[in-house]
Amino acid sequence: MNKAAGTRKSGHQTARTAQQDPRPAPTREAIVAFIAREREASSEQPAGRAPAKISKREIARAFDIKGDDRIALKRLLKELEAEGAIERRRKGLHKAGLLPATVLADFFSRDRDGDFLAAPVDWDLSQGPAPKIIVAIPRRQRPGTPAPGVGDRALLRVEPLPDAKTGEPAYSGRVVKLLERARSQILGIFRARPGGGGRIAPIDKKNVNRGELDVLAGQEGDARDGDLVAVEMLRTGRLGLPSARVRERLGAFDSEKAVSLIAIHTHKIPNIFGPETIAEAARARPATMAGREDWRRVPLITIDPPDAKDHDDAVHAEEDPDPGNRDGFILTVAIADVAAYVRPGTPLDREALDRGNSVYFPDRVVPMLPERISNDLCSLRPLEDRPALAVRMVIAADGRKLSHGFHRVMIRSAAKLAYGQAQAAIDGAPDETTAPLLQPVLAPIYAAYAALKRARDARGPLDLDLPERKIILNGAGGVDRVIIPSRLEAHRLIEEFMILANVAAAETLEAKHQALIYRAHDEPTLEKLNNLAEFLSSIGIKLAKGQVLRPEQFNGILAQVKDTDNEHLVNEIVLRTQAQAEYVVENYGHFGLNLRRYAHFTSPIRRYADLIVHRALIAALHLGDDGLPPAARAELPEIAGRISAAERRAMAAERETIERLIAAHLSDKIGASFEGRISGATRAGLFIRLSDTGADGFIPASMLGDDYFRHDESLHALIGSRTGKMHRLGDMVTVKLVEAAPLAGALRFELLGEGRPAKPSMKARTGTARQKPGPKSGSKSGPKPGRRGAAR
């Protein structure tokens, strides 16, 4: 199926025919050369053709590596990746003072035109400053090609610029292969030492166990005591602390309010808008009525969290007067017209794409767009004129959508309500704001939602019950308490309105043959389904292996364990069985929502995907000259990949910040006992989630007792080989907190009590790894169990 198969086949044939007999394992240099050669051949293919995929499989085929030798190949590839794939080039395969044709470089900035500036990784400073390389990324980049960002490392093909002046880039370059940044940089808190130098307390969970790093006098740069810094490891002897050099001062870390800075810098989340972006936002003026329908008399309302500042969706519903649609409704969803202010290719647009989405921390928001746009011109404030892209949908009494149409309009929101405020009004406790809206506005909206709910129940989307916790901060920026917000009908109402609008957007664009970015969610893999079936059989639920499950069948499983001891456990296992939603240009449906086509349309203030869909609708329906340019079709695969990665980056940053805040909150409770559940079981040990705060911590397997513990992946359990005691995902446990590392967000617990006896059939299971007991000490943390879900 790969379009580049022909190119790869000829390359593999050349490698294999040179010697048909088994041969020694390839050298590191041979592998790096093969990757560069294949990428170069791929780059010479016609525009628009997918680049050749170079993975372990392709390399093994090219060098005729089979059987157990593939394990050694995998290990070698990991080493090359960690080193930046540069060993061969660090041995001097270039002329003094000049760069070789292919060079490993770090992207360190952008120029005024948005092109990347890079510097070679391996450069002898005795020859002068490292030359700059200007790297222009093609607008029509090949589908599937990862997009670089500032801070990334890449293999570049470079050419000298003969007319370059002093201080200007001396080379032009193009990306041959994008690599991970070499893992020599560590983030930490600098503790100054009188007389110069100091120490670094690492913040990463993988580095926190290695202890502090020593910074010699003169190697601290401009770092001050308490600063968050990026450091580079230096070579050291066997004795004493490892030494490091401060590479960059990232900011003052003088209070808990700065905790989110760690995640921002760890994940390289852009958090400061460039001057051109700020200037463009400042120049923006309110949109006019030109080319718009006047909907300002429609009593649309916004319903959001009480602390929301950007209101990008407003809703309205009324009974359908058409006698042919008895008990039906006309629903209106109006979405902020961000496309009117953020035009393709502008500084605002480029920076929004770099960010991909807004990132929400307990103490701050890193917005996708400047506040002038997000909180002012585009926010659907009450009683103020705002431009919107609206969809009007006709639904039947059973909630089926009968028709829909999109309009570019000017609206004036009638009111700004919080979820609880709207729900209280419907429940009989209106306030002065909602009382006059109750009958003419709120009642029809809730009646329309009742119809949509019937359609949802008939459709049968995946219905997991895993409440999310919310951190409430105190005035100092620390944790005051952790709550589980109530899930109200008002939340579900807005969710159903938004889902229907998103479906309408995807349907319209497909009907118009307009390229778009879908929100897709794949069905679970057969391997995960078989593991689920094996697990369910252990609790008495039969599920045939190899069968394809639909969301309604998962819901049937969840219904069987409702209000039982296994309810939480099965919900967790079903969640982990799911794939992760993503943005794609080739639609394959949304499994979790049980929808054939789905796109994000309703949140363009905080998601770049929605802005793309808005532009696509404007272009397809001829609603203005600021729609998606025809040339952008070729860019959509790259954009989809970038915003999918940005979403995963945001989720990781948000999660890690919460872990750090809670670890700081619990740091003065060492020795205290807590109730919790086992949230993960691995060969390394058990992950524990505390019941009251939702804090995650780890118990190394070496601290589980004097036994050999086997990890049973399908049962999600550790089982003692001698005692038969079992520690299983979902089990309630009592633990003691023995260590807290707030900067890393790591907690280590000790298990109080023994596991439950495993059934004889579980004891007899084979094929699992053994974890030997050791001294009662261990890692403060371990690998994080995944919580991948069917994100909407």
Side-chain angles (χ1 to χ4, degrees):
M1 297 295 291
N2 193 309
K3 295 181 181 179
T7 301
R8 292 204 315 274
K9 183 176 180 180
S10 62
H12 298 154
Q13 190 67 29
T14 301
R16 292 172 66 99
T17 54
Q19 185 175 347
Q20 295 295 329
D21 297 329
R23 50 188 173 172
T27 64
R28 306 160 86 93
E29 290 79 5
I31 290 176
V32 173
F34 171 76
I35 292 173
R37 187 171 62 250
E38 289 289 288
R39 280 298 187 197
E40 182 178 356
S42 174
S43 68
E44 295 171 355
Q45 296 180 123
R49 175 169 291 185
K53 178 183 178 183
I54 304 174
S55 66
K56 185 182 73 173
R57 178 181 298 178
E58 279 72 29
I59 295 173
R61 186 182 298 127
F63 292 98
D64 200 20
I65 300 173
K66 300 177 181 178
D68 293 341
D69 290 340
R70 289 188 175 224
I71 299 175
L73 173 63
K74 181 178 181 181
R75 184 165 53 248
L76 179 58
L77 291 175
K78 285 187 175 181
E79 292 174 1
L80 287 171
E81 185 176 341
E83 296 164 6
I86 58 172
E87 278 298 313
R88 187 167 67 92
R89 289 175 176 80
R90 282 190 172 178
K91 294 182 179 180
L93 300 181
H94 58 82
K95 294 182 180 179
L98 295 177
L99 294 179
T102 303
V103 63
L104 198 72
D106 287 339
F107 294 98
F108 65 86
S109 184
R110 285 181 183 265
D111 65 10
R112 291 182 178 180
D113 297 324
D115 293 329
F116 285 104
L117 295 176
V121 172
D122 193 17
W123 181 258
D124 186 356
L125 290 177
S126 65
Q127 303 176 48
K132 296 178 183 177
I133 308 167
I134 185 168
V135 185
I137 306 300
R139 292 187 64 82
R140 294 187 178 185
Q141 200 156 335
R142 295 188 301 273
T145 303
V150 174
D152 284 347
R153 177 166 288 181
L155 194 64
L156 301 179
R157 174 75 69 182
V158 298
E159 293 181 0
L161 293 173
D163 298 326
K165 299 178 181 178
T166 302
E168 293 181 349
Y171 293 83
S172 66
R174 65 176 176 85
V175 176
V176 176
K177 181 176 177 60
L178 188 63
L179 305 170
E180 285 189 11
R181 171 174 284 280
R183 300 176 185 179
S184 59
Q185 180 172 292
I186 295 174
L187 296 184
I189 304 300
F190 178 69
R191 300 302 181 192
R193 189 167 45 218
R199 292 191 176 186
I200 302 294
I203 61 174
D204 183 71
K205 288 185 179 181
K206 295 178 181 178
N207 293 310
V208 72
N209 299 326
R210 302 175 185 174
E212 294 185 327
L213 308 175
D214 187 46
V215 178
L216 299 176
Q219 299 283 4
E220 68 271 31
D222 59 352
R224 296 189 293 269
D225 187 67
D227 280 350
L228 176 65
V229 296
V231 302
E232 185 176 5
M233 295 292 295
L234 302 176
R235 294 186 179 183
T236 60
R238 296 182 180 180
L239 302 177
L241 292 176
S243 64
R245 175 178 65 87
V246 174
R247 193 170 185 268
E248 184 180 3
R249 177 180 180 268
L250 301 176
F253 192 83
D254 53 2
S255 73
E256 289 178 309
K257 289 184 178 180
V259 167
S260 55
L261 282 176
I262 296 176
I264 288 171
H265 290 291
T266 298
H267 294 279
K268 300 180 177 65
I269 295 173
N271 69 315
I272 299 175
F273 288 107
E276 292 181 334
T277 303
I278 294 295
E280 183 182 354
R283 289 193 301 268
R285 294 294 175 262
T288 67
M289 284 294 303
R292 297 181 184 277
E293 301 174 42
D294 190 348
W295 285 21
R296 287 176 290 184
R297 293 185 180 275
V298 179
L300 291 145
I301 61 172
T302 61
I303 305 178
D304 291 296
D307 54 352
K309 294 181 179 179
D310 53 342
H311 307 280
D312 51 13
D313 58 87
V315 296
H316 177 263
E318 60 185 355
E319 294 182 2
D320 189 354
D322 185 351
N325 185 28
R326 185 177 179 182
D327 297 327
F329 293 88
I330 299 176
L331 275 60
T332 300
V333 175
I335 305 299
D337 192 352
V338 177
Y341 298 100
V342 183
R343 303 295 184 101
T346 62
L348 268 173
D349 181 53
R350 289 197 300 266
E351 191 141 5
L353 176 56
D354 281 344
R355 296 179 179 226
N357 48 250
S358 298
V359 187
Y360 295 86
F361 298 105
D363 63 332
R364 74 183 69 201
V365 175
V366 179
M368 186 181 80
L369 298 167
E371 286 191 10
R372 167 68 174 159
I373 303 296
S374 60
N375 293 0
D376 184 4
L377 294 176
C378 285
S379 185
L380 306 182
R381 295 175 174 176
L383 307 180
E384 295 185 20
D385 291 358
R386 287 292 182 269
L389 191 58
V391 56
R392 182 165 278 169
M393 300 169 284
V394 179
I395 65 168
D398 61 2
R400 288 179 299 112
K401 180 169 62 65
L402 302 178
S403 64
H404 69 267
F406 284 87
H407 307 260
R408 212 165 188 188
V409 301
M410 186 71 74
I411 71 167
R412 183 179 294 165
S413 170
K416 178 185 74 172
L417 304 183
Y419 287 113
Q421 188 180 17
Q423 191 63 50
I426 287 294
D427 292 341
D431 58 22
E432 60 181 11
T433 300
T434 56
L437 300 171
L438 182 55
Q439 292 306 318
V441 179
L442 286 172
I445 288 176
Y446 271 79
Y449 164 65
L452 293 182
K453 189 173 184 299
R454 287 190 284 272
R456 174 188 173 89
D457 293 342
R459 190 176 81 242
L462 188 61
D463 190 17
L464 290 167
D465 183 17
L466 291 167
E468 296 186 2
R469 290 172 169 81
K470 180 178 180 179
I471 289 182
I472 306 298
L473 301 180
N474 56 32
V479 176
D480 179 64
R481 63 190 186 280
V482 181
I483 63 172
I484 300 178
S486 299
R487 178 75 168 158
L488 305 173
E489 285 292 288
H491 292 98
R492 298 184 176 93
L493 180 155
I494 293 299
E495 184 175 272
E496 288 305 312
F497 275 49
M498 299 304 114
I499 289 174
L500 195 64
N502 288 336
V503 170
E507 290 177 349
T508 294
L509 293 174
E510 279 195 359
K512 294 293 184 178
H513 305 288
Q514 170 69 52
L516 73 146
I517 291 178
Y518 293 91
R519 179 65 168 179
H521 178 227
D522 209 353
E523 61 186 26
T525 63
L526 184 61
E527 179 184 5
K528 287 187 175 182
L529 288 175
N530 287 339
N531 287 340
L532 175 66
E534 197 165 350
F535 160 73
L536 291 174
S537 68
S538 72
I539 59 173
I541 298 177
K542 293 184 178 180
L543 182 66
K545 285 188 176 182
Q547 73 176 89
V548 177
L549 294 185
R550 301 305 306 163
E552 58 265 29
Q553 292 167 290
F554 279 107
N555 292 339
I557 294 169
L558 297 174
Q560 291 185 58
V561 298
K562 184 73 174 175
D563 298 324
T564 70
D565 292 340
N566 289 320
E567 179 179 10
H568 186 275
L569 169 62
V570 174
N571 271 270
E572 281 278 359
I573 298 297
V574 169
L575 172 64
R576 297 180 187 203
T577 303
Q578 306 306 310
Q580 186 171 15
E582 62 178 346
Y583 295 106
V584 297
V585 294
E586 297 294 335
N587 182 38
Y588 57 81
H590 198 296
F591 179 83
L593 293 175
N594 203 10
L595 292 168
R596 292 184 179 180
R597 55 191 60 83
Y598 192 66
H600 273 166
F601 158 75
T602 55
S603 297
I605 289 177
R606 62 182 178 89
R607 291 189 306 227
Y608 195 82
D610 304 56
L611 178 56
I612 290 291
V613 170
H614 275 232
R615 290 173 178 166
L617 287 166
I618 292 168
L621 301 175
H622 308 291
L623 297 176
D625 61 359
D626 48 0
L628 193 66
R633 178 186 292 264
E635 301 173 4
L636 293 185
E638 176 202 343
I639 292 173
R642 290 179 65 177
I643 59 181
S644 292
E647 179 186 40
R648 292 190 291 271
R649 174 182 68 185
M651 292 170 62
E654 291 166 1
R655 182 185 66 246
E656 290 170 11
T657 298
I658 289 173
E659 289 172 349
R660 290 187 174 100
L661 283 168
I662 293 183
H665 178 60
L666 297 177
S667 61
D668 60 351
K669 298 178 175 60
I670 303 297
S673 299
F674 301 91
E675 299 297 315
R677 284 185 185 271
I678 296 176
S679 60
T682 70
R683 289 181 177 139
L686 300 174
F687 291 92
I688 307 297
R689 180 167 299 135
L690 301 186
S691 300
D692 55 350
T693 61
D696 289 305
F698 189 65
I699 303 177
S702 59
M703 298 183 67
L704 291 177
D706 187 16
D707 200 353
Y708 289 83
F709 281 88
R710 297 178 295 108
H711 174 233
D712 192 307
E713 186 174 1
S714 63
L715 290 178
H716 301 270
L718 288 178
I719 303 175
S721 298
R722 180 175 56 81
T723 63
K725 298 293 185 181
M726 180 173 68
H727 304 287
R728 189 178 193 178
L729 179 72
D731 284 354
M732 290 295 299
V733 292
T734 301
V735 296
K736 180 172 72 173
L737 179 62
V738 296
E739 190 170 0
L743 294 179
L747 300 172
R748 185 159 60 91
F749 297 118
E750 179 182 313
L751 189 65
L752 301 179
E754 300 179 346
R756 55 174 169 159
K759 297 178 181 179
S761 60
M762 296 179 182
K763 295 180 186 179
R765 297 174 66 92
T766 59
T768 53
R770 296 193 171 202
Q771 174 67 43
K772 291 185 178 182
K776 294 205 172 184
S777 63
S779 170
K780 298 174 185 173
S781 62
K784 195 70 183 169
R787 288 181 59 82
R788 302 172 62 185
R792 182 164 65 85

